[in-house]
Amino acid sequence: MPGLKKRSVNLAGHATSVALEPEFWAVLEDMSKERRVSLAALIADLDSRRGESLLASFCRLSALAFVQQKAAAPRRKRA
């Protein structure tokens, strides 16, 4: 697995960077496309909902939840 990939984002008027594995960035990009928002807007939304969690950790958990929902969707349709 390749190392972390850093991306710069502007959150609430402050420049910051988020470092995630490329696989998580790919899922976040899929999430942003499905929601029809930019990746920056998606990360800003996640930042607003993360509470005390670290942003990178919350991004990973959100990406995991997205993938799990996608995987469960075909099973729900069959039931």
Side-chain angles (χ1 to χ4, degrees):
M1 181 183 297
L4 299 177
K5 181 176 179 181
K6 275 190 175 182
R7 295 204 185 180
S8 297
V9 292
N10 193 332
L11 300 173
H14 300 282
T16 190
S17 62
V18 180
L20 297 171
E21 294 78 5
E23 295 82 359
F24 285 106
W25 283 120
V27 174
L28 292 175
E29 288 169 359
D30 290 345
M31 288 174 66
S32 69
K33 287 176 186 172
E34 185 170 297
R35 294 182 184 185
R36 295 188 172 123
V37 299
S38 68
L39 183 59
L42 174 68
I43 293 173
D45 177 59
L46 295 176
D47 182 54
S48 72
R49 296 187 294 119
R50 69 184 169 100
E52 296 297 316
S53 298
L54 298 173
L55 179 57
S57 297
F58 194 75
C59 286
R60 286 183 183 96
L61 291 173
S62 298
L64 177 61
F66 178 79
V67 169
Q68 288 174 330
Q69 287 173 343
K70 287 289 193 184
R75 283 185 244 143
R76 278 189 239 133
K77 288 180 182 176
R78 284 184 278 177

